[in-house]
C-alpha cells in the first residue's frame, strides 16, 4: 500500500461504526508520540497557527474531554 492509500484506509477505519477497541489501542502509541512532539511548543490561539497545530490541539481536547 502506498502512503496515500494508507492514510485513506486509516480515515475509513476511523469513520467506520465498526471500529474496535483493538483499532483504537493501536492508535495510542503513534498519537502519543505525535502529541508529545508538540510539548514545549508555544501555542497561542490568538495567533496564526500551522494547520497541524490546530489538529493536534483538537485531538488533545478530544482526549481530555474538553472539545467544544
Amino acid at each position: 500500500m502506498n502512503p496515500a492509500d494508507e492514510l485513506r484506509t486509516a480515515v475509513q477505519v476511523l469513520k467506520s461504526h465498526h471500529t474496535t477497541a483493538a483499532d483504537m489501542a493501536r492508535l495510542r502509541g503513534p498519537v502519543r508520540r505525535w502529541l508529545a512532539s508538540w510539548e514545549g511548543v508555544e501555542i497561542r490561539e490568538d495567533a496564526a497557527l500551522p494547520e497541524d497545530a490546530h489538529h493536534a490541539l483538537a485531538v488533545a481536547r478530544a482526549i481530555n474531554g474538553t472539545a467544544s
Side-chain angles (χ1 to χ4, degrees):
M1 210 182 295
N2 66 45
D5 289 338
E6 290 179 298
L7 291 170
R8 188 174 22 264
T9 300
V11 169
Q12 290 172 351
V13 167
L14 290 174
K15 284 182 176 179
S16 169
H17 293 288
H18 298 96
T19 301
T20 66
D23 293 330
M24 300 309 288
R26 283 192 295 276
L27 291 172
R28 175 174 267 135
V31 170
R32 179 186 47 79
R33 287 188 295 276
W34 176 57
L35 291 175
S37 74
W38 283 98
E39 286 182 318
V41 175
E42 183 179 343
I43 296 177
R44 294 181 38 206
E45 292 188 84
D46 63 339
L49 293 173
E51 187 173 349
D52 197 43
H54 286 285
H55 294 309
L57 191 53
V59 169
R61 287 176 173 163
I63 290 169
N64 295 332
T66 58
S68 52

